[in-house]
Amino acid sequence: MMVGTTSARPGNGVELGSGIPIEKLAYRVVEAAYALAISRSRVYELIGSGDIKILKDGGRTLIRRSELEAYLLRLEQVSQAAERGPPRRPNRP
């Protein structure tokens, strides 16, 4: 494989000639959508609502890997809170 070439699926790391994978630090919108298993339009909705922050590099929109991980963590916390249900009020005598 040539230096700096990427594998066929979006969201994968870059692989050096030695076959050592390099994890991406930022993703383009389509790659972020693939990594999160959601649609590209949903990524744009999350960007618009401020749930995912972006970086601009000229005309490119980049999303940090850490931003995607933080979004998933927040999503997990909301899901867990919903499973527990609303907080219970103490019984009054």
Side-chain angles (χ1 to χ4, degrees):
M1 191 173 263
M2 295 174 50
V3 174
T5 59
T6 58
S7 51
R9 294 189 323 203
N12 284 349
V14 174
E15 201 172 278
L16 294 177
S18 63
I20 301 170
I22 304 296
E23 291 297 319
K24 288 181 141 194
L25 297 175
Y27 297 90
R28 297 183 105 174
V29 172
V30 69
E31 295 170 323
Y34 184 86
L36 293 173
I38 60 176
S39 69
R40 189 174 57 98
S41 60
R42 179 66 179 139
V43 173
Y44 281 115
E45 288 174 8
L46 294 169
I47 291 168
S49 68
D51 288 327
I52 292 181
K53 295 182 183 92
I54 61 168
L55 303 169
K56 294 296 277 187
D57 179 28
R60 293 188 308 161
T61 300
L62 299 174
I63 305 170
R64 288 180 186 260
R65 181 179 63 212
S66 60
E67 186 65 26
L68 299 178
E69 291 168 345
Y71 167 72
L72 289 176
L73 182 60
R74 291 189 302 272
L75 191 63
E76 181 180 15
Q77 291 168 345
V78 168
S79 295
Q80 288 175 350
E83 288 175 4
R84 287 193 296 267
R88 295 179 51 175
R89 295 189 336 192
N91 292 334
R92 297 187 185 243

Coordinates of all heavy atoms in Angstrom, one line a residue:
M1 N 0.8 -1.2 0.0 CA 0.0 0.0 0.0 C 0.9 1.2 0.0 O 1.9 1.3 0.6 CB -0.9 0.0 1.2 CG -2.0 1.0 1.2 SD -3.1 0.8 2.6 CE -4.4 -0.1 1.7
M2 N 0.5 2.3 -0.7 CA 1.3 3.5 -0.8 C 1.2 4.3 0.5 O 0.2 4.3 1.2 CB 0.8 4.3 -2.0 CG 1.0 3.7 -3.3 SD 0.4 4.5 -4.7 CE 1.0 6.2 -4.4
V3 N 2.2 5.1 0.8 CA 2.2 6.0 2.0 C 1.0 7.0 1.8 O 0.8 7.6 0.8 CB 3.5 6.8 2.1 CG1 3.4 7.8 3.2 CG2 4.6 5.8 2.3
G4 N 0.2 7.1 2.9 CA -0.8 8.1 3.0 C -2.1 7.7 2.3 O -3.1 8.4 2.3
T5 N -2.2 6.5 1.8 CA -3.5 6.1 1.2 C -4.4 5.6 2.2 O -4.0 5.1 3.3 CB -3.2 4.9 0.1 OG1 -2.6 3.8 0.8 CG2 -2.4 5.4 -1.0
T6 N -5.7 5.7 1.9 CA -6.7 5.3 2.9 C -7.4 4.1 2.4 O -7.3 3.7 1.2 CB -7.8 6.4 3.1 OG1 -8.4 6.7 1.8 CG2 -7.2 7.7 3.7
S7 N -8.0 3.4 3.3 CA -8.7 2.2 2.9 C -10.0 2.6 2.3 O -10.4 3.7 2.4 CB -8.9 1.3 4.2 OG -9.5 2.0 5.2
A8 N -10.8 1.6 1.8 CA -12.0 1.9 1.0 C -13.1 2.5 1.8 O -13.9 3.2 1.3 CB -12.4 0.6 0.3
R9 N -13.2 2.1 3.0 CA -14.4 2.6 3.8 C -14.0 3.9 4.5 O -13.0 4.1 5.1 CB -14.7 1.5 4.9 CG -15.2 0.2 4.3 CD -15.7 -0.7 5.4 NE -15.0 -0.6 6.6 CZ -14.9 -1.6 7.5 NH1 -15.6 -2.7 7.3 NH2 -14.3 -1.5 8.6
P10 N -15.0 4.9 4.5 CA -14.7 6.1 5.1 C -14.7 5.9 6.6 O -15.3 5.0 7.2 CB -16.0 7.0 4.7 CG -16.9 6.1 4.0 CD -16.2 4.8 3.8
G11 N -13.9 6.8 7.3 CA -13.8 6.7 8.7 C -12.6 5.9 9.2 O -12.3 5.9 10.4
N12 N -12.0 5.1 8.4 CA -10.9 4.3 8.8 C -9.6 5.2 8.9 O -9.6 6.2 8.2 CB -10.6 3.1 7.8 CG -11.6 2.0 8.0 OD1 -12.4 2.0 9.0 ND2 -11.6 1.1 7.1
G13 N -8.7 4.7 9.6 CA -7.4 5.4 9.7 C -6.6 5.3 8.5 O -6.9 4.5 7.6
V14 N -5.6 6.1 8.4 CA -4.6 6.1 7.3 C -3.6 5.0 7.6 O -3.3 4.8 8.7 CB -4.0 7.5 7.1 CG1 -2.9 7.4 6.1 CG2 -5.0 8.5 6.8
E15 N -3.2 4.3 6.6 CA -2.2 3.3 6.8 C -0.9 3.6 6.1 O -0.9 4.0 4.9 CB -2.8 2.0 6.1 CG -2.1 0.7 6.7 CD -2.8 -0.5 6.2 OE1 -3.9 -0.9 6.8 OE2 -2.4 -1.1 5.2
L16 N 0.2 3.6 6.8 CA 1.5 3.9 6.2 C 2.0 2.7 5.4 O 1.4 1.6 5.5 CB 2.5 4.2 7.3 CG 2.2 5.4 8.2 CD1 3.3 5.5 9.3 CD2 2.3 6.6 7.3
G17 N 3.0 2.9 4.6 CA 3.6 1.8 3.8 C 3.9 0.5 4.6 O 3.9 -0.6 4.1
S18 N 4.3 0.7 5.9 CA 4.6 -0.4 6.7 C 3.4 -1.2 7.2 O 3.5 -2.2 7.9 CB 5.5 0.0 7.9 OG 4.7 0.9 8.7
G19 N 2.2 -0.7 6.9 CA 1.0 -1.4 7.3 C 0.5 -0.9 8.7 O -0.4 -1.5 9.3
I20 N 1.2 0.0 9.3 CA 0.8 0.5 10.6 C -0.3 1.5 10.5 O -0.2 2.5 9.8 CB 2.0 1.2 11.3 CG1 3.2 0.3 11.5 CG2 1.6 1.8 12.7 CD1 4.5 0.9 11.9
P21 N -1.5 1.2 11.1 CA -2.6 2.1 11.0 C -2.4 3.4 11.8 O -1.9 3.3 12.9 CB -3.8 1.3 11.5 CG -3.2 0.3 12.4 CD -1.8 0.0 11.9
I22 N -2.8 4.5 11.3 CA -2.7 5.8 12.0 C -4.1 6.3 12.2 O -4.9 6.4 11.3 CB -1.9 6.9 11.2 CG1 -0.6 6.4 10.8 CG2 -1.9 8.2 11.9 CD1 0.4 6.1 11.9
E23 N -4.5 6.5 13.5 CA -5.9 6.9 13.8 C -6.1 8.3 13.4 O -5.2 9.2 13.6 CB -6.2 6.7 15.3 CG -6.2 5.3 15.8 CD -7.4 4.6 15.1 OE1 -8.5 5.1 15.0 OE2 -7.2 3.4 14.8
K24 N -7.2 8.6 12.7 CA -7.5 10.0 12.3 C -7.8 10.8 13.6 O -8.5 10.3 14.5 CB -8.7 10.0 11.4 CG -8.4 9.4 10.0 CD -9.6 9.5 9.2 CE -9.2 9.9 7.8 NZ -10.3 10.3 7.0
L25 N -7.5 12.1 13.5 CA -7.8 13.0 14.6 C -9.1 13.8 14.3 O -9.7 14.3 15.2 CB -6.6 14.0 14.8 CG -5.3 13.4 15.3 CD1 -4.3 14.4 15.4 CD2 -5.5 12.7 16.6
A26 N -9.4 13.9 13.0 CA -10.6 14.6 12.5 C -11.2 13.9 11.3 O -10.5 13.2 10.6 CB -10.2 16.1 12.2
Y27 N -12.5 14.1 11.2 CA -13.2 13.5 10.1 C -14.0 14.5 9.3 O -14.4 15.5 9.8 CB -14.2 12.5 10.6 CG -13.6 11.3 11.4 CD1 -13.4 11.4 12.8 CD2 -13.3 10.1 10.7 CE1 -12.8 10.3 13.4 CE2 -12.7 9.1 11.4 CZ -12.5 9.2 12.8 OH -12.0 8.1 13.4
R28 N -14.2 14.2 8.0 CA -15.1 15.0 7.2 C -16.5 14.6 7.6 O -16.7 13.6 8.2 CB -14.8 14.8 5.7 CG -13.4 15.3 5.4 CD -13.1 15.2 3.9 NE -13.2 16.6 3.4 CZ -12.9 16.9 2.2 NH1 -12.5 15.9 1.3 NH2 -12.9 18.1 1.8
V29 N -17.5 15.4 7.1 CA -18.9 15.1 7.5 C -19.3 13.7 7.1 O -19.9 13.0 8.0 CB -19.8 16.2 7.0 CG1 -21.3 15.8 7.2 CG2 -19.5 17.5 7.6
V30 N -19.0 13.3 5.9 CA -19.4 12.0 5.5 C -18.8 10.8 6.3 O -19.4 9.8 6.6 CB -19.2 11.8 4.0 CG1 -17.8 11.7 3.6 CG2 -20.0 10.6 3.5
E31 N -17.5 11.1 6.6 CA -16.8 10.1 7.4 C -17.3 10.0 8.9 O -17.5 8.9 9.4 CB -15.3 10.4 7.5 CG -14.6 10.3 6.2 CD -13.2 10.9 6.2 OE1 -13.0 11.9 6.9 OE2 -12.3 10.3 5.5
A32 N -17.7 11.2 9.4 CA -18.3 11.2 10.8 C -19.6 10.5 10.8 O -19.9 9.8 11.7 CB -18.4 12.7 11.2
A33 N -20.4 10.7 9.7 CA -21.7 10.0 9.6 C -21.5 8.5 9.6 O -22.2 7.8 10.3 CB -22.4 10.5 8.3
Y34 N -20.5 8.1 8.8 CA -20.3 6.6 8.7 C -19.8 6.1 10.1 O -20.2 5.0 10.5 CB -19.2 6.4 7.7 CG -18.9 4.9 7.4 CD1 -19.6 4.2 6.6 CD2 -17.9 4.3 8.1 CE1 -19.4 2.8 6.3 CE2 -17.6 3.0 7.9 CZ -18.3 2.2 7.0 OH -18.1 0.9 6.9
A35 N -18.9 6.8 10.8 CA -18.4 6.4 12.0 C -19.5 6.3 13.1 O -19.5 5.5 14.0 CB -17.3 7.4 12.5
L36 N -20.5 7.2 13.0 CA -21.6 7.2 14.0 C -22.7 6.4 13.6 O -23.7 6.2 14.3 CB -22.1 8.7 14.2 CG -21.1 9.6 14.9 CD1 -21.7 11.1 14.9 CD2 -20.8 9.2 16.3
A37 N -22.7 5.8 12.4 CA -23.8 5.0 11.8 C -25.1 5.8 11.7 O -26.2 5.3 12.1 CB -24.0 3.7 12.6
I38 N -25.0 7.1 11.3 CA -26.1 7.9 11.1 C -26.0 8.6 9.7 O -24.9 8.4 9.0 CB -26.3 9.0 12.2 CG1 -25.0 9.9 12.2 CG2 -26.5 8.4 13.5 CD1 -25.1 11.1 13.2
S39 N -27.0 9.2 9.3 CA -27.0 9.9 7.9 C -26.2 11.2 8.0 O -26.0 11.8 9.0 CB -28.4 10.1 7.4 OG -29.0 11.2 8.2
R40 N -25.7 11.6 6.8 CA -25.0 12.8 6.7 C -25.9 14.0 7.1 O -25.5 14.9 7.8 CB -24.6 13.0 5.2 CG -23.6 14.1 4.9 CD -23.1 14.1 3.5 NE -24.2 14.1 2.5 CZ -24.6 15.2 1.9 NH1 -24.0 16.4 2.1 NH2 -25.6 15.2 1.1
S41 N -27.2 13.9 6.7 CA -28.1 15.0 7.1 C -28.3 15.1 8.6 O -28.4 16.2 9.2 CB -29.5 14.9 6.4 OG -30.1 13.7 6.7
R42 N -28.3 13.9 9.3 CA -28.4 13.9 10.7 C -27.1 14.6 11.3 O -27.2 15.3 12.3 CB -28.5 12.5 11.3 CG -28.6 12.4 12.8 CD -29.9 13.1 13.3 NE -29.9 12.9 14.8 CZ -30.2 13.9 15.6 NH1 -30.7 15.0 15.2 NH2 -30.2 13.7 16.9
V43 N -26.0 14.4 10.8 CA -24.7 15.0 11.3 C -24.9 16.5 11.1 O -24.6 17.3 12.1 CB -23.5 14.6 10.5 CG1 -22.3 15.4 10.9 CG2 -23.2 13.1 10.8
Y44 N -25.4 17.0 10.0 CA -25.6 18.4 9.8 C -26.7 19.0 10.8 O -26.5 20.1 11.3 CB -26.1 18.8 8.4 CG -24.9 18.8 7.4 CD1 -24.8 17.9 6.4 CD2 -23.9 19.7 7.5 CE1 -23.8 17.9 5.5 CE2 -22.8 19.8 6.7 CZ -22.8 18.8 5.6 OH -21.7 18.8 4.8
E45 N -27.7 18.2 11.2 CA -28.6 18.6 12.2 C -27.9 18.8 13.6 O -28.2 19.7 14.3 CB -29.8 17.6 12.4 CG -30.8 17.5 11.2 CD -31.8 16.4 11.4 OE1 -31.8 15.7 12.4 OE2 -32.5 16.2 10.4
L46 N -27.1 17.8 13.9 CA -26.3 17.9 15.2 C -25.4 19.1 15.2 O -25.2 19.7 16.2 CB -25.6 16.6 15.4 CG -26.5 15.3 15.6 CD1 -25.6 14.1 15.5 CD2 -27.2 15.4 16.9
I47 N -24.8 19.4 14.1 CA -23.9 20.5 14.0 C -24.8 21.8 14.2 O -24.4 22.7 14.9 CB -23.2 20.6 12.6 CG1 -22.2 19.4 12.5 CG2 -22.5 21.9 12.4 CD1 -21.6 19.2 11.1
G48 N -25.9 21.9 13.5 CA -26.8 23.1 13.6 C -27.3 23.3 15.0 O -27.4 24.4 15.4
S49 N -27.6 22.2 15.7 CA -28.1 22.4 17.1 C -27.0 22.6 18.1 O -27.3 22.9 19.3 CB -28.9 21.1 17.5 OG -28.0 20.0 17.6
G50 N -25.7 22.5 17.7 CA -24.6 22.7 18.6 C -24.2 21.4 19.3 O -23.3 21.5 20.2
D51 N -24.8 20.3 19.0 CA -24.5 19.1 19.7 C -23.1 18.6 19.3 O -22.5 17.8 20.0 CB -25.5 18.0 19.4 CG -26.8 18.3 20.2 OD1 -26.8 18.8 21.3 OD2 -27.9 17.9 19.7
I52 N -22.7 18.9 18.1 CA -21.4 18.5 17.6 C -20.7 19.8 17.1 O -21.3 20.5 16.2 CB -21.5 17.5 16.4 CG1 -21.9 16.2 17.0 CG2 -20.1 17.3 15.7 CD1 -22.0 15.0 16.0
K53 N -19.5 20.1 17.6 CA -18.8 21.3 17.1 C -17.9 20.9 16.0 O -17.4 19.8 15.9 CB -18.0 21.8 18.3 CG -18.8 22.3 19.4 CD -17.9 22.9 20.6 CE -18.8 23.3 21.7 NZ -19.0 22.3 22.7
I54 N -17.7 21.9 15.1 CA -16.9 21.7 13.9 C -15.7 22.6 13.8 O -15.6 23.6 14.6 CB -17.7 21.9 12.6 CG1 -18.2 23.3 12.5 CG2 -18.8 20.9 12.5 CD1 -18.8 23.7 11.2
L55 N -14.8 22.3 13.0 CA -13.6 23.1 12.6 C -13.7 23.3 11.1 O -14.2 22.5 10.4 CB -12.3 22.4 12.9 CG -12.1 21.9 14.4 CD1 -10.9 21.0 14.4 CD2 -11.9 23.1 15.3
K56 N -13.3 24.5 10.7 CA -13.3 24.8 9.2 C -11.8 25.0 8.8 O -11.0 25.6 9.5 CB -14.1 26.1 8.9 CG -15.6 26.0 9.2 CD -16.3 25.0 8.3 CE -16.6 25.7 7.0 NZ -17.4 24.8 6.1
D57 N -11.5 24.3 7.7 CA -10.2 24.4 7.1 C -10.5 24.8 5.6 O -10.7 23.9 4.8 CB -9.4 23.1 7.2 CG -8.1 23.2 6.5 OD1 -7.5 24.3 6.5 OD2 -7.6 22.1 6.1
G58 N -10.5 26.1 5.4 CA -10.9 26.5 4.0 C -12.3 26.2 3.8 O -13.2 26.5 4.6
G59 N -12.6 25.4 2.8 CA -14.0 25.0 2.5 C -14.4 23.7 3.2 O -15.5 23.3 3.1
R60 N -13.4 23.0 3.8 CA -13.7 21.7 4.4 C -14.2 21.9 5.8 O -13.8 22.7 6.6 CB -12.4 20.9 4.5 CG -11.9 20.5 3.1 CD -10.8 19.5 3.2 NE -9.7 20.0 4.0 CZ -8.8 19.2 4.6 NH1 -8.8 17.9 4.3 NH2 -7.8 19.7 5.3
T61 N -15.2 21.1 6.2 CA -15.7 21.0 7.5 C -15.1 19.7 8.1 O -15.3 18.6 7.6 CB -17.3 20.9 7.5 OG1 -17.8 22.0 6.8 CG2 -17.8 20.7 8.9
L62 N -14.5 19.9 9.3 CA -13.9 18.8 10.0 C -14.5 18.7 11.4 O -14.9 19.7 12.0 CB -12.4 19.1 10.2 CG -11.6 19.2 8.9 CD1 -10.1 19.6 9.2 CD2 -11.6 17.9 8.1
I63 N -14.6 17.5 11.8 CA -15.1 17.1 13.2 C -14.0 16.3 13.9 O -13.6 15.3 13.4 CB -16.4 16.4 13.1 CG1 -17.4 17.2 12.2 CG2 -17.0 16.1 14.5 CD1 -18.7 16.4 11.9
R64 N -13.6 16.8 15.0 CA -12.6 16.0 15.8 C -13.2 14.7 16.3 O -14.3 14.6 16.6 CB -12.2 16.8 17.1 CG -11.4 18.0 16.8 CD -11.1 18.7 18.2 NE -10.4 19.9 18.0 CZ -9.1 20.1 18.1 NH1 -8.3 19.0 18.5 NH2 -8.5 21.2 17.9
R65 N -12.3 13.7 16.3 CA -12.7 12.4 16.8 C -13.2 12.5 18.3 O -14.2 11.9 18.7 CB -11.5 11.4 16.8 CG -11.8 10.0 17.3 CD -10.7 9.1 17.2 NE -9.6 9.6 18.0 CZ -8.3 9.4 17.7 NH1 -7.9 8.7 16.7 NH2 -7.4 9.8 18.6
S66 N -12.5 13.4 19.1 CA -12.9 13.6 20.5 C -14.3 14.2 20.6 O -15.0 13.9 21.5 CB -11.9 14.4 21.2 OG -11.8 15.7 20.6
E67 N -14.7 15.0 19.6 CA -16.0 15.6 19.6 C -17.1 14.5 19.3 O -18.1 14.5 19.9 CB -16.1 16.6 18.5 CG -17.4 17.4 18.5 CD -17.6 18.2 19.8 OE1 -16.7 18.6 20.4 OE2 -18.8 18.5 20.1
L68 N -16.8 13.5 18.4 CA -17.7 12.4 18.2 C -17.8 11.5 19.4 O -18.9 11.1 19.7 CB -17.2 11.6 17.0 CG -17.1 12.3 15.6 CD1 -16.6 11.4 14.5 CD2 -18.5 12.9 15.2
E69 N -16.7 11.3 20.0 CA -16.7 10.4 21.3 C -17.5 11.1 22.4 O -18.3 10.5 23.1 CB -15.3 10.1 21.7 CG -14.6 9.2 20.8 CD -13.1 9.1 21.0 OE1 -12.5 10.0 21.8 OE2 -12.4 8.2 20.5
A70 N -17.3 12.5 22.5 CA -18.1 13.2 23.5 C -19.6 13.2 23.2 O -20.4 13.0 24.2 CB -17.6 14.6 23.6
Y71 N -20.0 13.3 22.0 CA -21.4 13.2 21.6 C -22.0 11.9 22.0 O -23.0 11.8 22.6 CB -21.5 13.5 20.1 CG -22.9 13.1 19.6 CD1 -24.0 13.9 19.9 CD2 -23.1 11.9 18.9 CE1 -25.3 13.5 19.5 CE2 -24.4 11.6 18.4 CZ -25.5 12.4 18.8 OH -26.7 12.0 18.4
L72 N -21.2 10.8 21.7 CA -21.7 9.4 22.0 C -21.8 9.3 23.5 O -22.8 8.6 24.0 CB -20.8 8.4 21.4 CG -20.8 8.2 19.9 CD1 -19.8 7.2 19.5 CD2 -22.2 7.8 19.5
L73 N -20.9 9.8 24.3 CA -21.0 9.7 25.8 C -22.2 10.5 26.3 O -22.9 9.9 27.1 CB -19.7 10.3 26.4 CG -19.6 10.3 27.9 CD1 -19.7 8.8 28.4 CD2 -18.3 11.0 28.4
R74 N -22.5 11.7 25.7 CA -23.7 12.4 26.1 C -25.0 11.6 25.8 O -25.9 11.5 26.6 CB -23.7 13.8 25.5 CG -22.7 14.7 26.1 CD -22.9 16.2 25.6 NE -22.9 16.3 24.1 CZ -21.8 16.5 23.4 NH1 -20.6 16.6 23.9 NH2 -21.9 16.7 22.1
L75 N -25.0 11.0 24.6 CA -26.1 10.2 24.2 C -26.3 9.0 25.1 O -27.4 8.7 25.4 CB -25.8 9.7 22.7 CG -27.0 9.1 22.0 CD1 -28.1 10.1 21.8 CD2 -26.5 8.6 20.6
E76 N -25.2 8.4 25.5 CA -25.3 7.3 26.4 C -25.9 7.7 27.8 O -26.7 7.0 28.3 CB -23.9 6.6 26.6 CG -23.9 5.4 27.5 CD -22.5 4.9 27.7 OE1 -21.5 5.5 27.3 OE2 -22.4 3.7 28.1
Q77 N -25.4 8.8 28.3 CA -25.9 9.3 29.6 C -27.4 9.6 29.5 O -28.1 9.3 30.4 CB -25.1 10.6 30.0 CG -23.7 10.2 30.3 CD -22.8 11.5 30.5 OE1 -23.2 12.6 30.1 NE2 -21.6 11.3 31.1
V78 N -27.9 10.2 28.4 CA -29.3 10.5 28.3 C -30.1 9.2 28.2 O -31.2 9.1 28.8 CB -29.5 11.4 27.0 CG1 -31.0 11.5 26.7 CG2 -29.0 12.8 27.2
S79 N -29.6 8.2 27.5 CA -30.3 6.9 27.3 C -30.4 6.2 28.7 O -31.4 5.7 29.0 CB -29.5 6.0 26.4 OG -29.6 6.6 25.1
Q80 N -29.3 6.3 29.5 CA -29.3 5.6 30.8 C -30.3 6.3 31.7 O -31.0 5.7 32.5 CB -27.9 5.6 31.4 CG -27.0 4.6 30.7 CD -25.6 4.7 31.2 OE1 -25.2 5.6 31.9 NE2 -24.7 3.8 30.8
A81 N -30.3 7.7 31.7 CA -31.3 8.4 32.5 C -32.7 8.1 32.1 O -33.6 8.0 33.0 CB -31.0 9.9 32.4
A82 N -33.0 7.9 30.8 CA -34.3 7.6 30.4 C -34.7 6.2 30.9 O -35.9 6.0 31.2 CB -34.4 7.7 28.9
E83 N -33.8 5.3 30.9 CA -34.1 3.9 31.4 C -34.4 3.9 32.8 O -35.3 3.1 33.3 CB -32.9 3.0 31.1 CG -32.7 2.6 29.7 CD -31.4 1.8 29.5 OE1 -30.7 1.5 30.5 OE2 -31.1 1.6 28.3
R84 N -33.8 4.8 33.6 CA -34.1 4.8 35.1 C -35.4 5.5 35.3 O -36.0 5.3 36.4 CB -33.0 5.6 35.8 CG -31.7 4.9 35.9 CD -30.7 5.5 36.8 NE -30.3 6.9 36.4 CZ -29.3 7.1 35.7 NH1 -28.5 6.2 35.3 NH2 -29.0 8.4 35.4
G85 N -35.9 6.3 34.4 CA -37.2 6.9 34.6 C -37.0 8.2 35.4 O -35.9 8.6 35.8
P86 N -38.1 9.0 35.6 CA -38.0 10.2 36.3 C -37.7 10.0 37.8 O -38.0 9.0 38.3 CB -39.5 10.8 36.2 CG -40.3 9.7 35.9 CD -39.5 8.6 35.2
P87 N -37.0 11.0 38.4 CA -36.6 10.9 39.8 C -37.9 10.8 40.6 O -38.9 11.4 40.4 CB -35.9 12.2 40.1 CG -36.1 13.1 38.9 CD -36.6 12.3 37.8
R88 N -37.8 9.9 41.6 CA -39.0 9.7 42.5 C -39.0 10.7 43.6 O -37.9 11.1 44.2 CB -38.9 8.3 43.1 CG -39.1 7.2 42.0 CD -39.0 5.9 42.6 NE -39.9 5.7 43.7 CZ -40.1 4.6 44.3 NH1 -39.5 3.5 44.0 NH2 -41.0 4.6 45.3
R89 N -40.1 11.2 44.0 CA -40.3 12.1 45.1 C -40.4 11.2 46.4 O -41.1 10.2 46.4 CB -41.5 13.0 45.0 CG -41.3 13.9 43.8 CD -42.3 15.0 43.6 NE -43.6 14.7 44.3 CZ -44.6 15.5 44.1 NH1 -44.6 16.5 43.2 NH2 -45.8 15.2 44.7
P90 N -39.8 11.7 47.5 CA -40.0 10.9 48.7 C -41.4 10.9 49.2 O -42.2 11.8 49.0 CB -39.0 11.7 49.7 CG -38.8 13.0 49.1 CD -39.1 12.9 47.6
N91 N -41.8 9.8 49.9 CA -43.1 9.7 50.4 C -43.2 10.6 51.6 O -42.3 10.8 52.4 CB -43.4 8.3 50.9 CG -43.5 7.3 49.8 OD1 -43.8 7.7 48.7 ND2 -43.1 6.0 50.0
R92 N -44.4 11.3 51.7 CA -44.6 12.2 52.9 C -45.5 11.5 53.8 O -46.5 11.0 53.4 CB -45.1 13.5 52.4 CG -44.2 14.2 51.4 CD -44.7 15.6 51.1 NE -43.8 16.2 50.1 CZ -43.1 17.3 50.4 NH1 -43.2 17.9 51.5 NH2 -42.3 17.7 49.5
P93 N -45.2 11.6 55.1 CA -46.1 11.0 56.1 C -47.5 11.7 56.2 O -47.8 12.7 55.9 CB -45.3 11.1 57.4 CG -44.2 12.0 57.2 CD -44.1 12.2 55.7

